[in-house]
Amino acid sequence: RAGRTQDPVFPMKRAGWGVLSLSLALLAALEALPFRAAAMRKQSPSRLGWDAALHALSGLDLFDDLRRLRLFAALGDVFGAHWWGPFWALVSLPAHALFGRSLESASLPSLAAFLLVPPAALLVVRSLDRSMSAAALGATLVGLLALRSPMLLEVSAWPMLEALGGALTV
């Protein structure tokens, strides 16, 4: 770009941000996966609250209608949502297609959101200050606040919009 000098360290800084982002995502996975396994052992469809059950069911209904090529029924699922819009059903559809019809599949978007929050938060820090000291501070804050949050960890196992909404907000 005209008027800008090349910083020979910039590619290394970019790589440093990438490594830091991946490290935070890995830490999130190390935090969430054992909790998720324990939560899924204790959770059953009959123990879900009505809103979590409705989210899970909306994704399953849409998946079943598309799998059976009932396109008008699928359109009815998308446009006929009563309590919430079709967002959860659409987001959970790939999980059902890849991993089958289960409560675990229905809650995978929440897990993905939990794993994406730390790198996304780090990108927010990077947009504010590109120095590596800011990266270290940002990684520490994300680690302390997001990865150790009992509530964020809990909702990562729910078929609900909270984790996904938080990730999209970040």
Side-chain angles (χ1 to χ4, degrees), residues 57-80:
L57 184 61
S58 69
L60 285 171
D61 285 344
L62 182 59
F63 174 70
D64 284 342
D65 287 339
L66 289 174
R67 183 174 58 98
R68 293 181 179 134
L69 297 175
R70 296 187 311 208
L71 300 180
F72 288 115
L75 285 174
D77 294 336
V78 170
F79 294 108

Side-chain angles (χ1 to χ4, degrees), residues 105-120:
S105 296
S107 62
L108 277 177
S110 293
L111 175 65
F114 183 80
L115 299 180
L116 290 175
V117 164

